[in-house]
Amino acid sequence: MDTVGHLVTLAAASPWALALVALALVIDGFFPFVPGETLVVATAAAAAAGGGSPWLVLAVAAPAALAGDLIAYHLGRRLGIERWVTPKRPRLARAFGSAQRRLELNPASILLTAKFLPFVRVAVSMTAGAGRMPMRRYFPLAVASVTLYTGFHVALGAVVGSAAFALLGNPLIALAVSIAVGFAAGVLIDLAMRVVRARFRRPVVAAA
């Protein structure tokens, strides 16, 4: 098990693994069905448990996540969002409608927090593009958002991975624990954001 664990951590810290993380984050920016967060946490945990550098994971993950957001922004700018806002797609219509209201009322807040929610981040970036938000305004907020997003997941993977490895002594088990903690953190963030959205829903509707 120790040998297998070390092989897994070496593979997770390899350039091929970093390339996979980058590709997943780029796609995740406009197609929210790719486990980008899980790969970031797992790779950072493997790097920490195997004696590698989580900073390298962050250096790869942040630009990749930014590229995904920029693709979503340009898709919204070129294609618009009207085709998604239809009665046949009520959940998508609500997501884009909420994104539009938030961008009108408090664009910095929604752009900084939306990255942590899969469907919301795509809707917000596409809506920003469709609404012709200037790139000079969108870009710095997107940079701040992906820095928080990737920094959080890399730090989570590194801390939990190194701690689990120190306690359990097996990098494979440490990697599994890190992935589980990362998934649980994602669920908690989702629940917290739902509470925040529910609390501010009435003022947003009234303002709209």
Side-chain angles (χ1 to χ4, degrees):
M1 285 296 294
D2 288 339
T3 301
V4 172
H6 284 294
L7 288 175
V8 169
T9 55
L10 287 174
S14 70
W16 289 107
L18 294 176
L20 178 62
V21 169
L23 178 62
L25 288 174
V26 170
I27 297 174
D28 192 35
F30 60 92
F31 186 74
F33 297 100
V34 180
E37 298 96 336
T38 303
L39 286 174
V40 172
V41 171
T43 308
S53 174
W55 291 105
L56 184 59
V57 180
L58 180 60
V60 171
L66 178 61
D69 285 355
L70 291 175
I71 291 174
Y73 173 88
H74 285 292
L75 285 174
R77 197 174 186 88
R78 180 175 292 272
L79 302 177
I81 60 173
E82 291 79 9
R83 67 186 63 192
W84 308 107
V85 184
T86 65
K88 295 181 179 180
R89 301 185 180 97
R91 294 184 63 184
L92 285 176
R94 286 195 299 270
F96 280 109
S98 177
Q100 188 171 13
R101 290 191 296 269
R102 290 294 179 187
L103 284 170
E104 291 172 356
L105 294 174
N106 198 344
S109 175
I110 187 62
L111 282 170
L112 288 174
T113 56
K115 190 64 182 173
F116 289 87
L117 299 172
F119 287 97
V120 176
R121 61 172 168 254
V122 177
V124 167
S125 292
M126 289 188 67
T127 303
R132 294 296 191 268
M133 175 183 284
M135 178 58 73
R136 64 179 181 276
R137 189 179 184 188
Y138 173 80
F139 186 78
L141 292 173
V143 170
S145 175
V146 300
T147 302
L148 290 173
Y149 168 77
T150 55
F152 170 78
H153 288 96
V154 168
L156 179 67
V159 170
V160 175
S162 58
F165 178 67
L167 291 173
L168 303 173
N170 187 300
L172 187 60
I173 300 177
L175 183 60
V177 171
S178 301
I179 293 173
V181 172
F183 180 78
V187 172
L188 291 176
I189 290 172
D190 190 16
L191 291 175
M193 293 300 295
R194 287 183 183 180
V195 171
V196 172
R197 287 201 304 269
R199 175 172 292 184
F200 289 97
R201 184 173 297 164
R202 289 183 178 178
V204 169
V205 172

